[in-house]
Amino acid sequence: MSEVLARPRVLGRPRAWVLAAAGLVLAAFPFYLDRFWLQAGLFAMAAAIGAIGINLLTGATGQLSMGHAFFLAVGAYGYCAFAGDGKDGLTGLGLPGWLAAVLAVALAGLAGGVFSPIAGRLRGAYLGIATLALIFIGQHVLFNAHDLTGGFNGRAVPPLSLFGLTFDDSELLVAQVPFGSAEKLWYLGLVLLLAGALFARGVLRGRPGRAMNAIRDHRIAAGVMGIPVARYRAAVFVLSSMYAGLAGVLLALVFQRTVPEYFGMILSLEFLAMIVIGGLGSVAGAVVGGVFVSLLPQLLNRYSDALPLVSAPGTGGIAPGEAARYLYGAAVVAVVLFLPGGLVRLAARKPKRTAQPSHSSGEER
């Protein structure tokens, strides 16, 4: 009989251990990192939340949207309008911060619901062109509705209060470490990202996810199977808009001031780049792409003195923002050509096992 080589059994699930260790590391960051890195991480969390939303729409359902930045603006300015007290001369209802955040996300979903009949009937480039109109409408409103948005200069963002804790720069000592707004918002961002990722993962792995993938792969066949195609498309568009609104609220809290020109077409293109680079139709891919695209310009800006060809704006070299667009533009081309599944597919690849010769002690029976 041939001898069977015994292989050591791994205790537990390695992936669960890795995720738990990553969670502990992320939870410890506010105790060791300075404000720059915490703000960069918060921008990445907000980008990942928004990328999850557009990945549900574009990656899972196959609906192209160019107006994602519009719904981020609805969430950001909606929060300011609901939470503002009106003392700065701008429209404000003075609601509690947590309620203002919830209503801002609901307002973004309502805006998506108003557009959803169009999203349910259009597809491909036609939907992309239709959603592009939202960007121009949104920019016109943001720059001209001075009483609501503050015009070109934007408006200050009221701090969020939750369970008696105010997420502002008032100092809070935790284990002899002073916690400001960035440290406090770090844990809020982690909770929101985790909740958004788990909910989207549940949607994709359940019956709605199978229906969305069927619509993406073959719309007519999905309709023949009894899937209400237009209804699903409209519902996913609303859900994607709510994710964008949540990302807009978190961005506003981190920036502490909303600026209209930030919510333009370039931001929508960046979100499309996030899901292509990270991986279409994957929650993990949206997170990876969001972190990559959002951190790259900030890292180039911080280390521009040590990088060739990259310099501060107006000094003759390539500005960090432009260099970042060149790099993740090249990353999009490279992913499309050589790694269609995105960066997340690299982690999913399993190394090939080499065949091991069997050692037999005698003639096999």
Side-chain angles (χ1 to χ4, degrees), residues 153-198:
N153 294 322
R155 62 180 297 173
V157 179
L160 175 68
S161 296
L162 186 64
F163 302 122
L165 177 64
T166 303
F167 294 83
D168 58 5
D169 283 322
S170 59
E171 189 173 285
L172 174 67
L173 286 178
V174 179
Q176 302 303 316
V177 177
F179 271 43
S181 61
E183 288 81 4
K184 300 172 190 175
L185 286 172
W186 179 267
Y187 295 106
L188 177 64
L190 284 179
V191 171
L192 293 178
L193 177 57
L194 180 62
L198 290 178

Side-chain angles (χ1 to χ4, degrees), residues 260-300:
E261 63 182 85
Y262 177 76
F263 301 98
M265 186 166 54
I266 292 179
L267 183 60
S268 290
L269 294 176
E270 288 179 349
F271 274 105
L272 290 177
M274 291 175 193
I275 60 175
V276 172
I277 293 173
L280 289 171
S282 167
V283 175
V287 175
V288 171
V291 171
F292 178 84
V293 174
S294 62
L295 285 184
L296 188 58
Q298 299 181 71
L299 294 178
L300 291 177

Side-chain angles (χ1 to χ4, degrees), residues 124-146:
Y126 297 101
L127 179 60
I129 295 172
T131 53
L132 187 61
L134 293 174
I135 297 295
F136 298 113
I137 295 173
Q139 288 290 288
H140 178 77
V141 173
L142 293 180
F143 279 108
N144 293 282
H146 296 276

Side-chain angles (χ1 to χ4, degrees), residues 1-165:
M1 291 179 65
S2 60
E3 295 181 357
V4 180
L5 297 177
R7 301 172 65 183
R9 187 175 181 181
V10 180
L11 297 177
R13 298 177 59 186
R15 186 177 180 182
W17 286 107
V18 171
L19 292 177
L24 291 176
V25 171
L26 290 173
F29 275 173
F31 292 93
Y32 300 99
L33 298 182
D34 59 21
R35 189 180 183 88
F36 168 81
W37 292 108
L38 294 177
Q39 284 189 334
L42 284 167
F43 291 144
M45 293 178 196
I49 293 172
I52 291 173
I54 197 172
N55 215 359
L56 291 173
L57 181 66
T58 302
T61 318
Q63 292 288 85
L64 177 64
S65 174
M66 299 288 292
H68 210 56
F70 170 81
F71 299 104
L72 268 86
V74 172
Y77 281 94
Y79 172 78
C80 294
F82 288 128
D85 55 11
K87 294 181 180 179
D88 53 0
L90 302 177
T91 303
L93 300 181
L95 299 177
W98 65 269
L99 180 58
V102 172
L103 291 178
V105 175
L107 181 63
L110 179 62
V114 172
F115 194 82
S116 62
I118 300 175
R121 288 165 175 78
L122 296 180
R123 62 190 181 94
Y126 297 101
L127 179 60
I129 295 172
T131 53
L132 187 61
L134 293 174
I135 297 295
F136 298 113
I137 295 173
Q139 288 290 288
H140 178 77
V141 173
L142 293 180
F143 279 108
N144 293 282
H146 296 276
D147 293 339
L148 178 63
T149 66
F152 181 82
N153 294 322
R155 62 180 297 173
V157 179
L160 175 68
S161 296
L162 186 64
F163 302 122
L165 177 64

